[in-house]
Amino acid sequence: MKGFKPEQSQVQLQQRTSAPDGGWGWMIVFAYGLANIMIVPVLQSFGLIFRDTFREIDISATKASVIINLASAVGMALGLFNGPLLRRYGFRRLAVAGGFLFSAGLMLTSSAVHFAHFIITYSIIASLGMGFCNSSFSLALNTYFVVRRNK
């Protein structure tokens, strides 16, 4: 091949695979912060948001804590599958899927009137979405930052 230099292609490949430590990475930081502003308060105040609903449909405090703790357990158990899913689909697709699942789970939870409905929509669907989002954003940050990762 005329004009082909193997050294040049190695340098170009290395430049493409190294983290830029900025640029579009700051949009990832912004998106991660925005997602945490939306996700974390919902998780922390779930019992307060649905307190009146729980009284109306006779869900005890024990059942409410089962819903909340099961959501945490599902999100943490998902960690076993996040690595293979991230390798296969990438953090962008998994973040979109996570956002969709979390949003859909919350929308479906808003009309819940049975304990099982809360378990399925909030503890499973919304929690899966939260887990996908958290792992995707963590990988995205590690992809776009090396030197400034701690900031």
Side-chain angles (χ1 to χ4, degrees):
M1 286 179 15
K2 190 175 181 180
F4 177 74
K5 295 180 184 175
E7 299 85 25
Q8 252 183 343
S9 65
Q10 290 293 336
V11 170
Q12 289 172 346
L13 179 63
Q14 190 176 23
Q15 286 175 345
R16 278 188 282 153
T17 59
S18 65
D21 272 302
W24 285 105
W26 293 112
M27 293 304 291
I28 301 295
V29 171
F30 176 73
Y32 195 5
L34 190 62
N36 280 334
I37 287 171
M38 289 186 272
I39 292 173
V40 173
V42 170
L43 297 174
Q44 290 180 341
S45 58
F46 177 79
L48 294 173
I49 294 170
F50 287 98
R51 179 180 48 199
D52 295 334
T53 305
F54 289 162
R55 275 193 216 126
E56 289 173 13
I57 59 176
D58 200 31
I59 289 182
S60 66
T62 304
K63 286 182 178 180
S65 70
V66 166
I67 294 167
I68 295 166
N69 289 320
L70 185 60
S72 295
V74 168
M76 290 180 195
L78 178 67
L80 299 170
F81 305 103
N82 279 341
L85 288 171
L86 285 166
R87 272 191 291 283
R88 181 173 173 103
Y89 298 109
F91 62 83
R92 289 177 183 96
R93 287 184 184 153
L94 210 57
V96 169
F100 175 76
L101 283 172
F102 186 74
S103 299
L106 288 182
M107 285 188 266
L108 293 169
T109 301
S110 69
S111 64
V113 291
H114 300 289
F115 177 70
H117 192 167
F118 279 103
I119 294 290
I120 293 167
T121 59
Y122 182 77
S123 298
I124 297 174
I125 297 173
S127 182
L128 286 173
M130 176 202 63
F132 286 157
C133 285
N134 285 339
S135 63
S136 297
F137 281 129
S138 295
L139 179 60
L141 282 177
N142 289 332
T143 302
Y144 279 89
F145 290 98
V146 174
V147 177
R148 298 179 182 169
R149 200 175 284 171
N150 61 351
K151 291 181 182 177

